[in-house]
Amino acid sequence: MSIEKDHRARQLRLVDTHCHVDLFPDPHRVVHGAETGQIVTVAVTNIPSVFDQLRTIVGQSRFVKVALGFHPELAVDRVKELPLFRAKVGLTRFIGEVGLDYVTGLESARAIQRKVFSSILSDCDSAGDKILTIHSRRAADDVVDAIGQSFRGRFILHWYSGSSRTLRRALANGAHVSVNSAMTQSTRARAMIADVPQDRLLTETDGPFVRIDERPSQPEDVRLSLEWLSTIWRITLEEASDIVYGNFSRLSVPAGAERPSATAT
Ligand code: MN
């Protein structure tokens, strides 16, 4: 590898819009890795009661953004934390992991999930400047319906696996889509991503849940998603990186701001 190429490789700007930093054995190490690699990382949480603890761990990081979340699979057990979500929502622009998961066949459980998600969307809509990373397994239609056409905020469909038709509907309503390394193994996902406009694509790891060669994926592994996008788009890795980083920068511009910034807090 030439020195010039090596230099350029180090200039790749990486964005991980969905990483469960708090669920790694050593969260400090993941934060340090994101700082050192200058990888913008959205550290999602699964329940409001762990948000403060992760904020303490992340500290004054320039690159790691702590998100306030409420995972749909925990909605039934943790529904009492809904007031806590509302109490904390003013502390961050980043919201996730939230959404719906219809792997459960229990209609009562799905109804509680919808209640939690609807309350969260209402809080975020009132705030007007939130950036949501959203889970929609087997529930894409209800997720897209719940967000609606006039949501005041930005939203990212994380690891989307619903129909193309529903995705088109979501894109018409302003959706972004984030891709992880597990999706790069799927021909169905490839066909779907090829249909998403370049300016709506983002990268994520969903670490530590998504694994790469038996190890948990970490923010720097968004490079695999970028490599995949660069082959789908038939451009260089550097160009793909610029597109995705630019997308995140535009996404995180607060309404009314004039200049893009990737360091929204
Ligand atoms: Mn996740």
Side-chain angles (χ1 to χ4, degrees):
M1 183 182 283
S2 73
I3 289 169
E4 187 195 352
K5 197 171 177 190
D6 187 42
H7 175 71
R8 276 205 326 229
R10 282 200 303 271
Q11 296 300 307
L12 279 185
R13 296 187 292 181
L14 304 179
V15 181
D16 181 355
T17 61
H18 190 112
C19 182
H20 295 264
V21 171
D22 62 331
L23 300 181
F24 280 79
D26 186 352
H28 288 101
R29 192 177 167 144
V30 181
V31 172
H32 182 72
E35 283 295 296
T36 310
Q38 304 192 3
I39 305 161
V40 178
T41 302
V42 179
V44 295
T45 54
N46 284 342
I47 42 170
S49 55
V50 300
F51 176 72
D52 284 341
Q53 194 183 353
L54 184 58
R55 290 224 309 166
T56 303
I57 289 169
V58 168
Q60 296 300 309
S61 168
R62 282 182 58 212
F63 293 91
V64 181
K65 320 292 181 186
V66 180
L68 177 66
F70 209 137
H71 197 289
E73 289 182 298
L74 297 172
V76 172
D77 287 344
R78 301 291 187 145
V79 66
K80 285 184 178 165
E81 292 195 27
L82 209 39
L84 188 58
F85 185 96
R86 185 161 289 173
K88 300 286 177 192
V89 74
L91 296 173
T92 178
R93 287 189 63 207
F94 292 91
I95 305 296
E97 172 164 6
V98 295
L100 300 175
D101 187 308
Y102 286 177
V103 167
T104 173
L106 282 177
E107 183 48 40
S108 59
R110 292 179 175 185
I112 292 171
Q113 290 184 22
R114 285 192 294 270
K115 174 189 159 180
V116 168
F117 188 43
S118 159
S119 168
I120 287 168
L121 286 171
S122 167
D123 290 348
C124 293
D125 188 65
S126 299
D129 66 345
K130 302 303 187 193
I131 301 164
L132 285 63
T133 172
I134 300 181
H135 177 111
S136 58
R137 186 165 49 176
R138 300 193 195 171
D141 264 304
D142 277 5
V143 162
V144 173
D145 284 344
I147 297 165
Q149 296 183 332
S150 53
F151 176 68
R152 294 175 60 245
R154 321 286 174 97
F155 65 101
I156 306 163
L157 297 175
H158 133 76
W159 201 340
Y160 181 81
S161 60
S163 72
S164 301
R165 191 163 168 269
T166 303
L167 180 58
R168 279 196 296 276
R169 215 152 56 79
L171 290 166
N173 295 347
H176 284 71
V177 176
S178 57
V179 298
N180 62 45
S181 63
M183 294 169 76
T184 69
Q185 308 300 311
S186 157
T187 33
R188 185 168 175 268
R190 185 186 183 98
M192 179 192 81
I193 292 307
D195 285 339
V196 176
Q198 279 187 359
D199 64 3
R200 299 297 185 88
L201 257 302
L202 294 164
T203 47
E204 61 160 80
T205 57
D206 205 13
F209 296 111
V210 170
R211 302 181 75 84
I212 297 168
D213 300 332
E214 305 300 311
R215 66 169 177 83
S217 57
Q218 304 192 41
E220 65 192 41
D221 294 314
V222 291
R223 181 183 286 262
L224 296 174
S225 303
L226 278 181
E227 283 170 3
W228 189 59
L229 290 174
S230 74
T231 63
I232 293 172
W233 292 339
R234 302 181 188 198
I235 58 178
T236 67
L237 187 59
E238 289 77 9
E239 288 164 339
S241 153
D242 286 345
I243 288 170
V244 169
Y245 192 87
N247 291 346
F248 185 81
S249 300
R250 282 193 307 281
L251 183 82
S252 46
V253 177
E258 288 172 16
R259 279 156 46 89
S261 163
T263 53
T265 53

